[in-house]
């Protein structure tokens, strides 16, 4: 299955329901070999990816879900996922996402217990049979974090080209110690996110969140070049 680039981009979404259909290793290797050509400043290639399938992934899911069942608090985050006070229009966009996501599940905004149960599906990777965990060296800066984002986007688009779907999950950063128990990453790395990978379970509802109109996020500067006036 080969998708046009535009189709891959517009069909990519965070899928939260996967079948247990096996994802061949050769497909994952092909995707990640191509994704290595993602751009990065001075070719630093700051991403460190770990791919879990089979028994290791099953064990990670088991340990994470045991923490949920025990009511154990999450690990302290090593980076801030959102500013403490989001300003407009970002605040409204985040609220709209939450309303769509939990509305689709029939969960009221004030039903915190139900929202927590829904969030727990993260630790099962939404049923996916494969997962990627992406780390970055803690000594690197914001430009390198941007490079990691471009790498992950490339991975997700290549997965679409293979007929697969994905769900990037910063949620795994709060269970980073549990992930480290399985992966044993070097001390100098920070877990940025996990990513569930597999074939979509089309019986699971998955609304496509909208996007802001182009004029809200893009400014075209056209016409003749402005010239400065001499003093």
């Amino acid at each position: 299955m080969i998708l046009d680039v535009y189709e891959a981009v517009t069909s990519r979404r965070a899928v939260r329901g996967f079948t247990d259909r096996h994802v061949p290793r050769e497909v994952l290797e092909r995707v990640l070999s191509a994704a290595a050509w993602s751009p990065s400043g001075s070719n630093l290639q700051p991403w460190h990816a770990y791919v879990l399938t089979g028994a290791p992934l099953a064990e990670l899911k088991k340990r994470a879900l045991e923490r949920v069942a025990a009511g154990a608090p999450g690990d302290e985050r090593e980076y801030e996922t959102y500013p403490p006070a989001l300003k407009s229009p970002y605040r409204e966009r985040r609220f709209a996402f939450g309303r769509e996501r939990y509305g689709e599940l029939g969960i009221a905004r004030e039903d915190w217990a139900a929202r927590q149960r829904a969030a727990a599906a993260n630790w099962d990777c939404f049923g996916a049979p494969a997962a990627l965990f992406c780390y970055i060296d803690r000594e690197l800066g914001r430009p390198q974090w941007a490079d990691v984002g471009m790498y992950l986007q490339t991975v997700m688009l290549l997965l679409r080209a293979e007929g697969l779907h994905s769900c990037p999950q910063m949620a795994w950063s709060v269970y980073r110690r549990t992930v480290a128990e399985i992966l044993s990453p070097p001390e100098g790395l920070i877990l940025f996110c996990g990513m569930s990978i597999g074939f979509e379970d089309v019986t699971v509802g998955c609304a496509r969140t909208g996007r802001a109109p182009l004029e809200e996020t893009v400014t075209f500067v056209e016409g003749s070049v402005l010239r400065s006036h001499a003093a």
Side-chain angles (χ1 to χ4, degrees):
M1 176 181 180
I2 301 298
L3 296 183
D4 171 84
V5 174
Y6 280 87
E7 186 179 356
V9 171
T10 56
S11 67
R12 186 218 62 81
R13 66 189 192 283
V15 165
R16 294 179 175 85
F18 296 88
T19 71
D20 60 1
R21 179 179 168 187
H22 175 66
V23 178
R25 175 167 173 164
E26 58 267 25
V27 172
L28 295 171
E29 288 183 346
R30 183 161 59 241
V31 164
L32 295 170
S33 293
W37 290 97
S38 299
S40 62
S42 296
N43 198 32
L44 294 189
Q45 304 169 69
W47 45 82
H48 297 261
Y50 293 76
V51 179
L52 270 70
T53 59
L57 180 58
E59 180 64 20
L60 174 60
K61 292 179 179 182
K62 173 177 173 290
R63 295 188 189 190
L65 289 169
E66 285 174 348
R67 287 187 65 176
V68 173
D75 302 326
E76 183 180 356
R77 289 187 185 272
E78 293 191 287
Y79 64 89
E80 191 173 75
T81 52
Y82 303 101
L86 275 176
K87 64 181 182 180
S88 182
Y90 316 113
R91 179 180 62 253
E92 290 83 1
R93 291 173 186 167
R94 189 181 184 195
F95 285 165
F97 166 76
R99 183 170 58 249
E100 291 178 19
R101 166 68 180 147
Y102 293 109
E104 179 184 47
L105 299 173
I107 298 174
R109 177 176 173 79
E110 64 276 8
D111 191 345
W112 182 248
R115 290 164 70 95
Q116 289 294 92
R117 287 193 298 272
N122 277 283
W123 320 128
D124 185 48
C125 294
F126 304 104
L132 179 149
F133 292 87
C134 190
Y135 288 79
I136 184 171
D137 193 300
R138 65 179 65 252
E139 294 184 4
L140 296 179
R142 291 181 180 179
Q144 288 75 55
W145 284 73
D147 291 343
V148 168
M150 288 189 280
Y151 169 76
L152 293 170
Q153 170 77 335
T154 303
V155 169
M156 290 186 283
L157 295 182
L158 290 167
L159 289 170
R160 287 301 301 125
E162 297 283 354
L164 293 159
H165 272 287
S166 61
C167 183
Q169 301 163 265
M170 287 191 294
W172 276 107
S173 65
V174 299
Y175 276 7
R176 58 187 173 81
R177 291 192 172 92
T178 302
V179 177
E181 289 173 4
I182 303 298
L183 301 181
S184 300
E187 182 66 27
L189 299 184
I190 292 176
L191 176 61
F192 172 46
C193 72
M195 181 190 296
S196 297
I197 297 170
F199 294 94
E200 181 182 10
D201 182 349
V202 297
T203 67
V204 177
C206 187
R208 183 73 189 274
T209 54
R211 293 294 185 268
L214 198 64
E215 58 269 21
E216 281 190 22
T217 59
V218 178
T219 300
F220 289 95
V221 181
E222 300 174 309
S224 59
V225 177
L226 297 178
R227 297 179 180 177
S228 61
H229 296 281

